[in-house]
Amino acid sequence: GPISFRNRSSRLGDVLIWQLQDGPSFRNVGFYDIEYNQLSINNNTLKWPGGKPPQDRLIVIIFIKTIASELFTGFTVISCIGILFALSVMGFIIIKRHHRHIKMSSPKLNYFILLGCILCYISVIVSGMDAAIVGVKYRKNTCMAEIALLSLGFTIAFGAVMLKTWRIFKIFTNVAKVKMIIKDVYLIIRLTQLISIDIVVLIMWNIIDPLTTEEVNIGSTMLLQVKINATSTVPTKTENKITNILQSVTTSGDLQLEIKKLRLIIMEQQEKLQAYERGQSDHQTQDETLS
């Protein structure tokens, strides 16, 4: 057959590719034609552990740190119960609005208190909508919505309570003989002023210094897996080194340093393998010369 040499060096010829299968037995799985530079692989004769080829690179899978679904579901259920309770109380006030005691409690301001509570409950649900639910692109919108709902809800609820308390204080501390009447409309106007201040602050905040999202590496939250066959040429000591490095990656925050260590070990083994192959080639050349 055809024979060729590489720069007055070793002889080049066709290459048969064998694979170690089922213990010590080898099976021909491919052929390389040096004359036409063609590689033929018979995929039907190949066998891989686990049914797929082994990994030829370090696989790094990045996970986004999100809120646990159980935690989000629990707080969402509690918030929904609070919202339903507030709506039921609001419905009760509407039905009994002509009752004497309900009239004395200022039902219009009670509506604002319940509305503020509902907004606060909704902010709890929105705060749990992280990147896993709304996506990284829209996460800043949910952050701003959470702040706005909580701020407005707190102002409406506690503002109404404060104004009701202020009216009681003014009535009981009135030293004049003239009867003092502070209507709900006056208190609602004051409450509207407080809400307006909140709205202006939120708008200016969103215009001057809007919220932004940024990806931050918070440590090694990645899954690394390396499978080494029992017939591998990597020595046992090297296997132990690689295993220790992979274990330290899961606990260490400096992933780049661990990857560099792993690359150095792999390069060291490649150099040893190349030296071994050169030695085998030299022995083969000497045998051919003697023959």
Side-chain angles (χ1 to χ4, degrees):
I3 299 176
S4 61
F5 295 88
R6 178 189 296 170
N7 297 330
R8 300 178 183 179
S9 181
S10 59
R11 181 171 65 93
L12 300 177
D14 296 334
V15 178
L16 291 176
I17 302 173
W18 301 79
Q19 185 185 35
L20 181 63
Q21 297 179 358
D22 301 328
S25 62
F26 287 88
R27 188 171 183 179
N28 184 12
V29 296
F31 176 78
Y32 174 68
D33 190 339
I34 191 172
E35 182 179 3
Y36 297 101
N37 192 24
Q38 293 181 352
L39 176 64
S40 301
I41 298 294
N42 187 2
N43 294 321
N44 296 327
T45 59
L46 287 172
K47 287 186 179 180
W48 303 109
K52 60 181 181 179
Q55 299 174 357
D56 60 348
R57 64 182 63 87
L58 186 64
I59 304 300
V60 179
I61 303 175
I62 301 177
F63 296 93
I64 299 177
K65 192 70 175 179
T66 58
I67 299 174
S69 58
E70 298 83 4
L71 185 64
F72 174 70
T73 303
F75 277 92
T76 300
V77 170
I78 295 173
S79 299
C80 291
I81 293 173
I83 293 172
L84 292 176
F85 178 75
L87 291 175
S88 62
V89 174
M90 190 178 295
F92 176 79
I93 294 175
I94 294 174
I95 296 173
K96 300 292 185 178
R97 63 184 180 276
H98 299 299
H99 194 274
R100 178 172 176 271
H101 296 290
I102 299 297
K103 286 184 176 180
M104 292 177 62
S105 66
S106 301
K108 294 179 181 179
L109 290 175
N110 291 337
Y111 295 149
F112 283 99
I113 295 174
L114 294 171
L115 176 62
C117 293
I118 291 174
L119 293 179
C120 291
Y121 283 126
I122 295 176
S123 70
V124 175
I125 300 175
V126 174
S127 65
M129 294 181 178
D130 52 16
I133 299 177
V134 299
V136 179
K137 181 179 180 181
Y138 300 102
R139 176 56 182 149
K140 63 179 181 180
N141 297 332
T142 58
C143 289
M144 196 65 206
E146 172 195 351
I147 296 171
L149 289 170
L150 183 60
S151 177
L152 293 174
F154 183 88
T155 301
I156 294 172
F158 284 89
V161 173
M162 181 191 69
L163 290 172
K164 288 178 66 175
T165 306
W166 175 80
R167 178 169 60 181
I168 295 172
F169 169 77
K170 292 295 290 184
I171 292 173
F172 281 92
T173 57
N174 181 27
V175 295
K177 294 181 180 181
V178 180
K179 184 178 180 180
M180 178 178 289
I181 299 176
I182 302 177
K183 295 184 178 181
D184 290 345
V185 177
Y186 177 78
L187 298 181
I188 291 174
I189 293 174
R190 294 295 185 183
L191 181 60
T192 305
Q193 294 174 351
L194 295 176
I195 298 173
S196 301
I197 295 174
D198 256 9
I199 293 175
V200 171
V201 171
L202 291 172
I203 292 175
M204 295 300 293
W205 181 6
N206 199 26
I207 294 175
I208 298 175
D209 187 18
L211 295 177
T212 57
T213 57
E214 181 181 359
E215 295 184 8
V216 179
N217 183 11
I218 59 175
S220 177
T221 57
M222 305 176 186
L223 178 63
L224 304 180
Q225 185 178 9
V226 173
K227 293 183 178 179
I228 303 174
N229 296 331
T231 58
S232 174
T233 57
V234 181
T236 305
K237 292 183 178 180
T238 306
E239 290 183 16
N240 295 334
K241 289 181 181 178
I242 295 175
T243 303
N244 293 333
I245 288 177
L246 292 177
Q247 290 176 351
S248 64
V249 166
T250 58
T251 57
S252 173
D254 196 351
L255 179 61
Q256 298 297 330
L257 179 60
E258 305 299 337
I259 292 177
K260 289 181 181 178
K261 292 181 182 179
L262 189 58
R263 286 177 177 172
L264 289 175
I265 293 178
I266 295 174
M267 291 175 61
E268 180 183 352
Q269 295 305 315
Q270 288 177 347
E271 292 177 357
K272 290 182 179 180
L273 184 59
Q274 291 175 0
Y276 173 78
E277 291 176 350
R278 286 196 298 268
Q280 291 293 105
S281 178
D282 293 340
H283 285 302
Q284 185 178 0
T285 304
Q286 292 177 2
D287 293 340
E288 291 177 356
T289 304
L290 292 175
S291 62

